[in-house]
Amino acid sequence: MKALVYHGPGKMQLEDVPKPALREATDAVVRVTKTTICGTDLHILKGDLPAVAAGRVLGHEGIGIIDEAGAGVTRFRPGDRVLISCVTACGKCENCRRGMPSHCEQGGWILGNLIDGTQAEFVRIPFADTSLYAIPAGADEDAMVMLSDILPTGYECGVLNGAVQPGDTVAIIGAGPVGLSALLTTQFYAPANLIVIDLDDNRLEVARQFGATAVINSADGKAVGKVMALTGGKGVDVAIEAVGMAATFGICQEIVGAGGHIANIGVHGTSVTLHLEELWSRNITITTRLVDTVTTRLLLKTVMSGRLKPKQLITHHFALDDIIKAYDTFGHAGRDRALKVILTNQIALGGT
Ligand SMILES: NC(=O)c1ccc[n+]([C@@H]2O[C@H](COP(=O)([O-])OP(=O)(O)OC[C@H]3O[C@@H](n4cnc5c(N)ncnc54)[C@H](O)[C@@H]3O)[C@@H](O)[C@H]2O)c1
Ligand SMILES: [Zn+2]
Ligand SMILES: [Zn+2]
């Protein structure tokens, strides 16, 4: 089968690799029909995640059709349409049982990281019963792909960890698909002001269409002063970091108001200075989280009802064969006005 294989920082290639086979009774092999690229894949290519070994098939998002199910899989049968969660959960270990499957003893975020991922024609999914979701009849398949990672990530790591309350002033640093997912889902809680900061005017314009009350291009280095002016010098109740850089985490530390929250989402590859000499007396909370995907069902229902419209996040479509082109587009989002790209596995559609 064809798969996008990582060969160390800056190197990847679409290659022929063996089709995955069942290894455990609880595995399923899924024929991937649609997948996408995440900002985290860009971090992997930058070398920010050294645990990802050369030879790994990338990708942790997508939907597909069950091709084979192990004898221990009870909830899915070949032919079923499924949503693949970016987090693999055994459902039984201590961390799964306490609602933290991101740290499942035998799973967690392993797809396209520690085991081969979804940017391929087929993918092996361990613990299929607790790591896949049935796709409801009538669902928009492109929209479903947004539920593998970015919507639960924006919601869990950003909005829930940030403890957004009605009337809050929320700043989101980073208007990529994850930051915009936080922007969409933070509106469940009716914040009063929603400030979005990025370097890309196109993404900021999208943020405005998605409900931002103010947008700031931070390229001039003046974002902190602008946020302080917008908040009457008080700072924000919740600062959501959705980039993964020292500079953007730094902005969060400078704009968080007394009693506020900094909710980090970004994957960081280098150390960040924590300014406790400024923050020790400010009653703030800093949270970090690897997405647990414990809200996937809730978000699926909001998508099916039409209340949440993640399809707006999709700007480009490619065939899986053109994945290198798709990486170029997603990696040059400003140039190509790109948000989420959908990759369709033509072979899957052709039914061979
Ligand atoms: N915690 C988790 O479980 C989890 C899950 C998924 C993604 N992530 C991380 O979330 C982050 C966002 O993901 P994405 O897919 O939206 O990525 P993305 O690369 O598409 O978006 C990042 C955005 O940050 C902006 N940006 C870059 N440098 C900036 C700066 N100095 N100031 C302001 N804005 C800047 C870019 O213009 C871009 O719009 C990434 O770090 C990704 O790895 C974390
Ligand atoms: Zn991701
Ligand atoms: Zn577990």
Side-chain angles (χ1 to χ4, degrees):
M1 67 159 187
K2 289 229 174 65
L4 195 270
V5 182
Y6 173 69
H7 288 292
K11 292 184 220 139
M12 61 178 163
Q13 201 171 296
L14 185 66
E15 313 179 349
D16 276 316
V17 301
K19 180 186 163 188
L22 299 175
R23 283 192 205 166
E24 307 287 340
T26 44
D27 287 355
V29 171
V30 176
R31 181 188 281 259
V32 177
T33 52
K34 287 174 193 276
T35 183
T36 180
I37 304 169
C38 180
T40 303
D41 298 319
L42 302 181
H43 279 291
I44 293 172
L45 284 162
K46 260 172 71 185
D48 283 348
L49 290 148
V52 183
R56 179 70 59 237
V57 176
L58 295 183
H60 49 266
E61 298 162 273
I63 59 164
I65 298 166
I66 303 279
D67 187 57
E68 279 181 274
V73 176
T74 59
R75 298 184 56 237
F76 300 105
R77 303 204 341 232
D80 287 352
R81 295 186 320 137
V82 289
L83 160 66
I84 301 167
S85 173
C86 65
V87 164
T88 302
C90 79
K92 293 179 179 164
C93 74
E94 186 176 340
N95 284 338
C96 280
R97 295 298 297 270
R98 66 181 174 134
M100 200 172 68
S102 60
H103 293 274
C104 169
E105 286 165 17
Q106 298 179 74
W109 173 46
I110 54 174
L111 271 184
N113 177 12
L114 305 178
I115 66 169
D116 287 341
T118 55
Q119 290 167 6
E121 288 175 52
F122 294 89
V123 61
R124 180 180 70 91
I125 303 293
F127 305 110
D129 277 342
T130 36
S131 307
L132 297 172
Y133 295 84
I135 294 185
D140 181 307
E141 296 207 330
D142 284 3
M144 291 294 109
V145 179
M146 305 301 110
L147 286 161
S148 289
D149 174 357
I150 62 165
L151 284 171
T153 295
Y155 185 54
E156 294 174 13
C157 310
V159 178
L160 294 182
N161 272 19
V164 177
Q165 303 282 318
D168 272 357
T169 293
V170 178
I172 298 170
I173 298 82
V178 168
L180 291 173
S181 292
L183 174 63
L184 291 173
T185 56
T186 199
Q187 293 172 64
F188 295 161
Y189 298 92
N193 303 297
L194 270 170
I195 304 165
V196 177
I197 302 171
D198 201 290
L199 302 170
D200 177 346
D201 283 330
N202 172 53
R203 286 184 164 189
L204 289 172
E205 183 47 43
V206 174
R208 213 184 260 288
Q209 288 161 21
F210 285 10
T213 54
V215 297
I216 297 172
N217 188 319
S218 56
D220 60 4
K222 295 183 180 158
V224 171
K226 288 178 184 167
V227 172
M228 293 324 252
L230 282 168
T231 56
K234 288 193 176 133
V236 303
D237 299 301
V238 184
I240 297 175
E241 203 283 352
V243 184
M245 289 175 58
T248 44
F249 193 80
I251 294 176
C252 293
Q253 295 187 66
E254 290 193 69
I255 63 173
V256 67
H261 294 253
I262 298 177
N264 182 79
I265 309 179
V267 169
H268 291 263
T270 57
S271 65
V272 171
T273 304
L274 179 64
H275 288 289
L276 271 183
E277 75 283 11
E278 301 287 341
L279 297 173
W280 71 270
S281 63
R282 307 275 296 156
N283 302 28
I284 66 150
T285 306
I286 299 178
T287 55
T288 72
R289 189 170 187 179
L290 181 57
V291 63
D292 286 295
T293 66
V294 287
T295 61
T296 307
R297 275 178 210 288
L298 163 169
L299 293 166
L300 180 61
K301 284 189 259 181
T302 63
V303 171
M304 290 306 292
S305 72
R307 188 166 272 274
L308 188 61
K309 297 186 178 69
K311 217 183 162 178
Q312 323 168 70
L313 293 162
I314 300 164
T315 54
H316 290 72
H317 287 81
F318 294 91
L320 183 62
D321 279 342
D322 292 327
I323 189 163
I324 300 289
K325 226 190 277 175
Y327 262 92
D328 184 57
T329 295
F330 185 65
H332 295 94
R335 181 194 71 196
D336 291 352
R337 296 182 155 245
L339 283 168
K340 217 60 182 164
V341 302
I342 292 280
L343 292 145
T344 303
N345 179 5
Q346 306 288 15
I347 296 164
L349 290 180
T352 52

